[in-house]
């Protein structure tokens, strides 16, 4: 589970990845982990992902180190980390909610 959380948090740390791009990446790649394992040429095929974002994802070593620090913080303070799934996104996108943001932590 921590491996999965590492990649989920990493996805939220990428500048330029909001709810729509994250949804597209997850739908196309299947999981947050698979997003980080894709080649740049594959990522460029995802709607909304251009050269800059694809490069950021492929060279994400620092992001994953930062995500690991977040996990250490979560463990230290016994915080329950939440992450959305595609079903939840579809539900919220169909409502009048203007923005859906990633929830990294829930106390």
């Amino acid at each position: 589970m921590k491996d999965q959380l590492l990649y989920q948090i990493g996805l939220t740390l990428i500048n330029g990845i909001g709810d729509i791009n994250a949804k597209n990446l997850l739908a196309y790649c299947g999981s947050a982990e698979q997003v980080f394992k894709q080649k740049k040429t594959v990522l460029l095929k995802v709607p909304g992902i251009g050269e800059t974002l694809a490069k950021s994802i492929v060279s994400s070593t620092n992001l994953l180190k930062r995500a690991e620090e977040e996990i250490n913080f979560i463990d230290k303070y016994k915080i329950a980390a939440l992450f959305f799934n595609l079903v939840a996104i579809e539900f919220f996108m169909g409502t009048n909610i203007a923005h859906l943001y990633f929830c990294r932590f829930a106390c």
Side-chain angles (χ1 to χ4, degrees):
M1 179 173 162
K2 283 194 180 182
D3 286 342
Q4 181 181 1
L5 184 58
L6 175 75
Y7 292 105
Q8 290 172 336
I9 291 173
L11 189 59
T12 70
L13 296 175
I14 301 170
N15 287 332
I17 300 292
D19 53 336
I20 300 298
N21 283 337
K23 175 185 170 187
N24 290 342
L25 284 165
L26 291 171
Y28 194 86
C29 300
S31 71
E33 181 176 358
Q34 287 303 311
V35 168
F36 287 96
K37 293 184 176 188
Q38 297 300 321
K39 293 183 179 183
K40 186 172 143 184
T41 54
V42 173
L43 293 171
L44 288 170
K45 295 177 184 177
V46 178
I49 304 301
E51 188 75 28
T52 303
L53 285 177
K55 186 177 177 182
S56 294
I57 295 167
V58 170
S59 61
S60 60
T61 307
N62 289 335
L63 286 176
L64 294 178
K65 286 181 183 177
R66 190 165 155 220
E68 198 170 319
E69 292 172 6
E70 297 284 352
I71 290 173
N72 291 337
F73 182 87
I74 289 168
D75 289 343
K76 181 177 179 180
Y77 293 100
K78 297 178 179 25
I79 297 171
L82 301 176
F83 195 77
F84 65 88
N85 60 39
L86 291 177
V87 174
I89 289 176
E90 291 297 334
F91 172 76
F92 286 116
M93 296 301 280
T95 66
N96 291 328
I97 296 174
H99 299 284
L100 175 66
Y101 294 98
F102 295 100
C103 295
R104 290 199 320 188
F105 308 110
C107 296

